[in-house]
Amino acid sequence: MKFANILFEVRNKIAFVTINRPDKLNALNDATLDELEQCFNSIKKDGAINVVVITGKGEKAFVAGADISELHNLDVVAGKTFAEKGQQVFNLIEKLGKPVIAAVNGYALGGGCELALACHIRMASKHAKFGQPEVNLGIIPGYGGTQRLTRLINSGISAELILTGDLIDTNEAFRIGLVGKVYAAEELMEKATELAEKISSKGQVAIRMALRSIVSCDDLPDAEGQNLESSLFSICCGTEDFKEGTLAFLEKRKPNFKNS
Ligand code: COA
């Protein structure tokens, strides 16, 4: 797939999606959001892709937010459509059905932080910076940030970040649970690829069932979540991979998963 604002590559069943507007710190304009939607719709259908890694082009930014030059022209009606479109694209990423890893290589602000939040796993380089600075522009996060950030971390810390618009460094993002791993900038993509390869080497039915259960956690009350978990568990019990994984353990060898 070829895009104007995104680089897309598949290696070894891993899709690498790179937001490619480095001169604008990879800010998400309308065209880039459209391309992200197209790209992730295609990844969803592609049986040859197991895991996705998303990052930003250049050393400075993952994504520095929605494109402020486009924001400036919004009115009340257009603002609702604008926010809903971003939410729709980020919901597509969260509900992709395949693991998405955010390799946060610099500024992850506003829509950039929200994009990372829509991914299932976040890792960052030491010099990355995170924040929801929308209040400084007279708006609030509109691509799911008030919801996902508040669910992910302590709600008081989420409120403090959103209400002050303050930026935090990677150490602080790690401390509050916003990112799971921190690496030197030059190591980040290698580590993201290693993690993607590790996940890709497992039986993909179990990976997808586990992800579905994890993602549903936000939507379902505990009893329904546990009911879904036991149903997905039972689906796994009917797979060849389950027979192979358990047999391989008993025979003290590595499993040879067939993803069925
Ligand atoms: N939308 C549109 N353009 C953006 C942008 C955004 N969110 N973030 C950065 N840019 C552009 C700048 O306008 C500048 O373009 P120019 O060279 O044509 O003037 C270019 O990216 C480089 O940014 P610059 O501000 O010069 O870099 P910096 O190192 O001085 O500052 C930031 C970096 C991230 C602190 C600063 O760019 C910033 O505050 N960006 C906006 C962050 C934000 O509010 N995001 C939430 C939006 S809802």
Side-chain angles (χ1 to χ4, degrees):
M1 278 181 290
K2 280 242 174 331
F3 300 102
N5 303 301
I6 289 176
L7 302 174
F8 177 76
E9 191 186 356
V10 181
R11 294 195 309 267
N12 206 11
K13 299 200 163 198
I14 298 159
F16 294 87
V17 178
T18 305
I19 313 294
N20 186 26
R21 299 183 75 215
D23 53 329
K24 296 292 176 192
L25 303 189
N26 303 319
L28 294 178
N29 60 2
D30 197 45
T32 309
L33 261 188
D34 281 341
E35 289 185 357
L36 267 181
E37 186 169 31
Q38 206 185 322
C39 182
F40 275 89
N41 269 323
S42 163
I43 290 171
K44 193 177 179 121
K45 289 185 223 133
D46 190 335
I49 295 172
N50 287 346
V51 184
V52 185
V53 175
I54 184 162
T55 192
K57 182 76 176 171
E59 288 164 10
K60 209 168 159 184
F62 175 68
V63 166
D67 192 310
I68 298 170
S69 64
E70 291 184 350
L71 277 180
H72 182 65
N73 300 317
L74 296 179
D75 59 18
V76 173
V77 174
K80 176 81 172 154
T81 312
F82 175 93
E84 284 177 350
K85 178 173 176 183
Q87 289 175 357
Q88 179 186 310
V89 177
F90 290 6
N91 288 342
L92 167 67
I93 293 173
E94 186 178 48
K95 305 258 158 79
L96 189 72
K98 302 177 185 189
V100 184
I101 300 167
V104 180
N105 57 313
Y107 288 113
L109 307 181
C113 190
E114 291 168 302
L115 174 58
L117 285 165
C119 298
H120 307 108
I121 298 174
R122 284 160 293 282
M123 54 172 62
S125 65
K126 283 183 182 158
H127 72 280
K129 289 224 169 3
F130 295 79
Q132 297 289 164
E134 286 89 346
V135 289
N136 296 330
L137 303 169
I139 49 175
I140 69 170
Y143 289 175
T146 60
Q147 306 301 300
R148 288 196 178 95
L149 187 64
T150 308
R151 279 199 294 262
L152 181 70
I153 65 171
N154 172 306
S155 65
I157 301 177
S158 171
E160 193 176 330
L161 280 172
I162 292 170
L163 300 182
T164 62
D166 283 352
L167 307 194
I168 56 171
D169 63 19
T170 307
N171 284 341
E172 181 64 359
F174 177 74
R175 193 188 70 77
I176 64 176
L178 182 47
V179 295
K181 295 262 171 45
V182 178
Y183 297 107
E186 58 277 14
E187 275 187 317
L188 182 67
M189 282 314 286
E190 186 188 319
K191 294 293 183 185
T193 306
E194 265 175 34
L195 177 61
E197 281 172 351
K198 181 184 270 190
I199 295 169
S200 182
S201 74
K202 315 284 179 191
Q204 292 305 300
V205 180
I207 292 295
R208 287 175 198 180
M209 295 301 130
L211 192 64
R212 202 167 139 195
S213 201
I214 292 164
V215 169
S216 76
C217 181
D218 286 339
D219 300 335
L220 298 178
D222 191 51
E224 282 180 45
Q226 295 214 21
N227 187 35
L228 176 69
E229 183 187 78
S230 57
S231 300
L232 297 171
F233 178 92
S234 79
I235 290 173
C236 293
C237 292
T239 63
E240 294 292 319
D241 283 354
F242 165 63
K243 298 290 174 225
E244 167 62 9
T246 46
L247 189 65
F249 177 83
L250 296 172
E251 292 177 353
K252 301 188 185 305
R253 60 174 173 82
K254 278 196 166 176
N256 179 18
F257 291 122
K258 297 278 191 322
N259 302 328
S260 58

